[in-house]
Each structure stands twice: as C-alpha cells, then as structure tokens.
Amino acid sequence: MGQLQRQRVARLATLLYVMLCSCLTIELCSAQQEPKLQIYPTQEVQRKPVGKPLILTCRPNVPDQALVTDLQWKDNMNNTILPKPSNYDPLYDSKGNKKNVTGRNHPPMYTETLPGESLGLMITSLSSEMGGKYYCTASYANTEILEKGVTIKTYVAITWTNAPENQFPILGSDYVVKCEVKADPNPTIDWLRNGDPIRTDAKHVVQTHGLLIRDVAETDDGIYTCRAAVIETGELLERTIRVEVYIAPVITHLPAQLEAVEGKPFAANCTAIGKPVPEISWIKQSVQLNVATADRFKVNAQTGLLTISSVTQEDYDTYTCIARNGAGVVDQKTKLNVLVRPSVYELYNVTGVSGKEIAITCRSKGRPAPAISFRRWGTEQQYTPGIQLDDERITLEQYFDEERGESTGTLRIARSQRTDDGLYQCIASNKGDTAYKTGHIAVEFPPDFTHMKELPPVFSWEQRIANLSCLAMGIPNATIEWRWNGRNVKDLYDTNLKIEGTGPRSDLIVHPVTRQYYSAYKCIATNIHGTAEHDMQLKEARVPDFVAAAVPRQLTATTMTFDIRGPATELGLPILAFSVQYKEVNNPDWSTALNRSWSPDSPYIVEGLRPQTMYSFRFAARNQVGLGNWGVNQQQSTPRRSAPEEPKPLHSPVQNDKEEPVVVSPYSDHFELRWGVPADNGEPIDLYQIKYCPGVKMAGTWHELEDRCNMIEVSETTSFQMTDLSGNTYYRIELKAHNAIGYSSPASIIMKTTRGIDVIQVAERQVLSSAAIVGIAVGGVLLLLFVVDLLCCVTVHMGVMAAMCRKAKRSPSEIDDEAKLGRDEKEPLRTPTGSLKQNSTIEFDGRFVHSRSGEIIGKNSAV
C-alpha cells in the first residue's frame, strides 16, 4: 500500500513538472514575439542626488528593428524632450571633469541617439524640479504604440558649506571648529579627534555648526574629523580638519634708541616670537610710511632686520616695529638718530698758466666740521696745513665754521710748473668718517717739441709716399702749420704735399716724385701762450753699404761659423738681415751659388758643406730698401773628415766645485744624462760611448773606483738613463761621440746623487739566480732592439743594420783611407741629391736657432 502511494506521488510530481515547463516555454515564445521597450538602468525608480548628471537609455526589444519609428522621450510634464543642438558643447570632458564653458546655450536635458538603435536621455545636472515620471514611447509597424516609464526621485547629497580643512584657534581663547553641512534629508553630526570620539564635556561642546573648544591650549593641536550621516539614504561623509593653535606675537628685542651715520649703511633688528612666525614691518611715524616700499630701505619680514643702504639726514625719525601673525598684532617704537658724516659739496677744476700762482678750493660739511687736506692722485702722502717742507711753493690753508658745520680748504701753488698738472684729491674727515672728491689742476703752457728731438728722420725711396707726423705738446692745444723752404705749404698748392690735421697733431704726406722733396720741413705750433718750431727731415733711403767684415770663427768638415760686422747704419734705417752666397771655387758662375740669410742677432752658420773643399763666399746686408752690394769676397776650405766634435751635455750645474761644476741628480738611484748632437765632421755619428765611475776627490785629486766603472754604447738617441746608482755619491761621467773615423774628445761632468734611504730587505729564496734573471732581461732587450732595428732598416733605411749594409757597399781601399786621419781623403762627403742646392734661412730669436729651407725671403730675412 505504501509503495503504491509513493508511485502516485511520483507520477503527480512528473505531471506538474511537465506542465510547468510547458508554461515557461509558452511564456518565452510569447515574450520573444511581443514587441516592447526596455529602459536602462532597469530599476523602475531611479534615486539620484541633486547636481549630478544622469543618462537613461531606451532600447526597443522587437523582432524587427526596422519597423520601429518615432522613438522619443517625454519629461515629467509629458513634453517631448528634444535632441541635442548641433552646436552644443558638453559640460564635461572625457575624464568626467566639468568644463568652464560660457556663452553657449546648454539645455538641462536632451536626447541623443546611441549605438544599438537606442535613444539616450541626457540630464546634465539634476535639480529637485526634475523629479517625476519619464516615458519612452515608440511606434511599431505603424500599428502598435510602445511605451515604458521610469520614475526619477532626487535628493540633496551631503555638502560641506562651511568646514575649512585648516583652522587656527588662538591660544587662551574659546574657539568653534566650524563644520556646517547641508543635506536633504537632514544629516546627523558627530566628532572625532585623532580617531577617538568627542563627547560634550567641560572642554568640548558639540554644537549645530561646529565643535566649541574652551580655553584653547597648545595641546589642542591635532586632526579633527567631522562626520555627517543621512539615515534615510545611508549616505556617510567625513571631513578631516587640521587644527593648529596660533600664539599671539610678542616683541622680545628692540632698543629704545638707534644711532646711524649719514651716508653709511645701517642695520637694526626687531625680534618677535609667536606662532606662526610673525611677519614684521617698520613704519616711519612722521609720514606713516611702511619703509619696506621706500628707496634705500629693505626689511626682512621674517627676521625683522631693517637695513638702510645709505643713511640721510631725512631718516631721523621715530619708527614703529609691528609684528603680525594670524593670532594678532603688536607694536613697539624706537628713535633713530642720524650722525652727519663729512661730505664735499664744492670742488671745482681750476686752470692756471705755467709760472703763475694756482689755487684749488674744497668746501665740506658735517658734524663736527671736517678737517680738509689734499693729496696728489695715486699717492698716499697728504699735504699738511701751512707751507710744505718738501716744496715751499705749496701752501695748505684751512677754515672751520663749527656752528654751521662747514669747513674750507685751499691748496695754493706759487710759480706753478707743468709737473703740477694733474688730479688732486680733497680729503674731508671728522670722527665720524672721511669723504673724498677729486678735482683737476690744469697748467697751461706754450707749445713744446722736446719729446720729438730724438726721433730719427723719415725715409723714403722709389717715390714711396712718406708721412711726417708732428705732435705738439701744449695746453691749450696748439694749431700747426707746415713750411717748406720758408713758404707755407698750404699756399703752394702742391699735389705732392698733403696736410692732414691742424693740431695738436698734424701729418704732412709727401709724395717725393723728384729729389727736391728730400729736404727739411718745418712744423710750427702756436697757442695763446706762444709758438714753437720743429724741423723734420725727409731723406732718401738707400740699400746698405758693403759688409765691413766676415771672419770664419769655427770650422768643421761640413759647417762654417762666421763673425760678421755690418756696415754703418743711419738712425731709423736698421739692418734687417745678413746674406751670404757661397759656391765651390771651381764653379765660376755665381748665379748657381747657394744663398743663406740670418737675422742680425742669430749665429751665422753655413751648413751642408763638403769636407776638404774650397768655397768662395761673399756677403751683403739688407735693410727696408733692399739688399746691398755683395762684398767681403773670400775663399775658405773645409777640413777633412774627422772624428765628431765633442758632445755638449745639457745639464746646468747646481753646486760648483773649485775646479769642476757639479750636477746634482734629484734622485738617489738613477740619473738621466742628456746631450746635444755635435757636428759629425763629414761622417754620420753611429753611436755614443758613456762611461761613469763612482769616486771621491781627495786633496784636489779625483780618485775613481775603477772596479765599479760602467761603460755603455748607445745609438740613435741623445739621452741615457743611468740606473742602480748609490745615494749621496759622486760620479765622473765621460761622453764621446763616434763615427767611422773615430771617437771625439770626451765631454766630462761630475754628478752627485741625493741622499737615499737605507732599506734592509729580507732575502727570500729565489727560484732563479740573479745572474739568470739579468741574462734573461738582457736577452729580451737585445731581441727587442734587433727587431726594432730590422724594422727601421726595412722601412726607412736607418739603424745599425742599414749602416752596416751601406758600409758593405764601399770599397775596402776607401774605408782604409778614411780611417787614417793624417792622410788625404779619397772621396768628398756624400750628400743626398739636391741637399746642397736648397736655399735656406737661419733665424735666431734670442734663445733658439731656427733653420728653414726653400725661399730665402722670410720674416727676418732680407734676401
């Protein structure tokens, strides 16, 4: 029986399920087929705050969107809402921020077609009058009217009307922390401080428009929270208010009397305390002027520092210091007294005549009346009252008027001279300060040509235009006229004579087209005090005379050094260069001779000569006009090839021995020997031999330690680093140059190393012996030198191997003959092609000799 009942129940449940599914299916099918409008958001009542924007979207839900027509919105007054105007500018940008737009018509609401065949209702800012029922209507297939409604309800959101985020109560007063709120429905207000609730008590009272704090203390600083809630809408809003207690200002320092010196800077301090830091101002009482805006005054409002760039008598007054902050204002008065420093109010420039009295007067004021003195500009010595001891012509007179605070000083110069002309400084001083002013004494005198007496004549040649400049010294400036052969040049109307300037400088431009213009011209200067004349000579310049003498001073196989004595010269026409032409005696043609020029102050050296060859030389001098005649013809032979000249070490002695100079090394263990390349005397220098031995000098005799001598040969260098030396030790160094003929005479110097530091080193077990290490190092150096020499030989044909190759090409008989110094040479010095056919110029600048090949006309050359 129970089982049968259960089966019936199961069948009944199945039947009910089938019926329910059928109903849902029928309902869905009818819904899909029935056209209607859908409003989004879908809530039938939209509750929104006043002042906010709103959008409602109406979307047709129909089988065929093409049959929907006349889709529109109606407002709460059943009026059709119009679309957005074409020139409408939105009130909000793309980020939702309200734009500041004026001058256009912005409708409070409008419609706008949206994607998906929808129509949007746009409300830019809700107002309470916009609440009510809104409808979206449409026509479907021109037979059916579709309609959907939505209700808009507005409310006023919580708004802070008077709740500043920063509020500043004053210490000791009662203060209401303001928090005024507007909302509809009305909100409830409560307070928190630093997160803790505040209840009404003896200190705090919660009021409608804020929180009352009685007897404000500094401890009342903090963060207060005003919290507003609307129960009906569930809206909750908090306002954070920072409360900072202000303290009224108090002036802590200001002297009752201040004292300043006129004309000097001045500073005074008015110190005040308070919270926040008070802003300080200064008021001049007599004119009620805030001096921060006045000229010369500057006020630091934070520190209260008053500065005056330059005090005047008008600054005397009573001043009020005012300290002000958010808690109040306080002021205090002080009096400023001004001391009058000296000032020079009159000092005129004066003019006098040479030989007569001149007086310059200076007037000054100040309290006390200043003392006045004078001094020449650029000197420190002042004139003393009365007659001057070092110059009785000069007298200083002083007058004082203490009642008026004025004084006068007069400097009198009897029998004035031209040297009295110049600037004079008036010095007015009292116990307050010193004042200065400068005046000028002009001493007039007749024209004077003394400064032109030693000038050389003016030269011209080949009808070149000459300039005769005449400058007359005189006060007032002189006027100048020119005379030639007793006649005024201006009256001659000669086109070859032109005058530029009439004084104090005048130039006579002469074009000497004929020899008559080479003569004397008279410059005549005139002013109110007299006349002066000066004769100026225009001379015809000529090339220099013959060179007086040229004597060979030093001969080598390839060079000659001459001593040249030039011809007599005229003042103003100096010798600019000396030139030499030289050729071998067997060459009769001077047109093929070589040329060389030197500046007058350089060594006169002829280089590139052949050994054991007779040369002809002739010399000439050059000036601005040109090259003089060749003269001092002479013949001179070069000696045979020989060993090089003695090399010259390039070291200056620091301490002098009685017999030999001593060079001091700055180091204790090494020394760099440097030398200049000597003349090779016809054969290239292939190496230098350096020998250095430690030793001592006893009883004036040098004793070398032969067992400790070192001998080194170096090539292609002019320096050598001597290493492993002993500190505080004397060394004799001998340097020789070598060529194929032999060694030069030795150059010898004494060198002393500095005192070193004795270092004791602990010997460690060595993997290699010292001899092995030295051998490896020497082998490496030799290998490196060999590689470098090989590269030099292959690339530039220089080095030891290149020299050996060249020697190998010479005949044994030639080498044997040249090795014998006492015999004649078989062959002259071989010189690279064209080297003897190049012109060159030698210049000497006082320190170095400069040689240039090519054209012989140069900066200091006359050829």
Side-chain angles (χ1 to χ4, degrees), residues 275-312:
K275 181 182 178 184
V277 176
E279 180 177 327
I280 297 176
S281 59
W282 288 76
I283 305 297
K284 188 175 182 180
Q285 284 296 105
S286 62
V287 291
Q288 286 299 302
L289 172 68
N290 186 340
V291 297
T293 63
D295 292 339
R296 301 180 293 105
F297 285 78
K298 186 177 180 181
V299 176
N300 189 320
Q302 281 69 44
T303 64
L305 179 64
L306 166 69
T307 57
I308 306 175
S309 60
S310 179
V311 177
T312 65

Side-chain angles (χ1 to χ4, degrees), residues 10 27 88 92 111 116 151 161 227 234 301 362 449 465 474 511 559 564 605-606 652 660 719 849 860:
E27 191 70 27
Y88 172 68
Y92 295 87
T111 61
T151 301
T161 59
R227 186 164 59 186
C362 177
F449 287 113
I465 294 176
H511 187 189
T559 66
I564 298 177
I605 304 175
V606 180
S652 300
E660 296 183 80
S719 65
V849 178
N860 294 320

Side-chain angles (χ1 to χ4, degrees), residues 82-85 88 91 104-110 122-125:
L82 299 177
K84 178 180 70 173
Y88 172 68
L91 291 176
R104 292 190 182 181
N105 182 23
H106 298 284
M109 64 178 70
Y110 58 90
M122 308 293 186
I123 301 176
T124 57
S125 179

Side-chain angles (χ1 to χ4, degrees), residues 58 89 152 464:
C58 179
D89 189 6
I152 298 176
R464 296 190 182 190

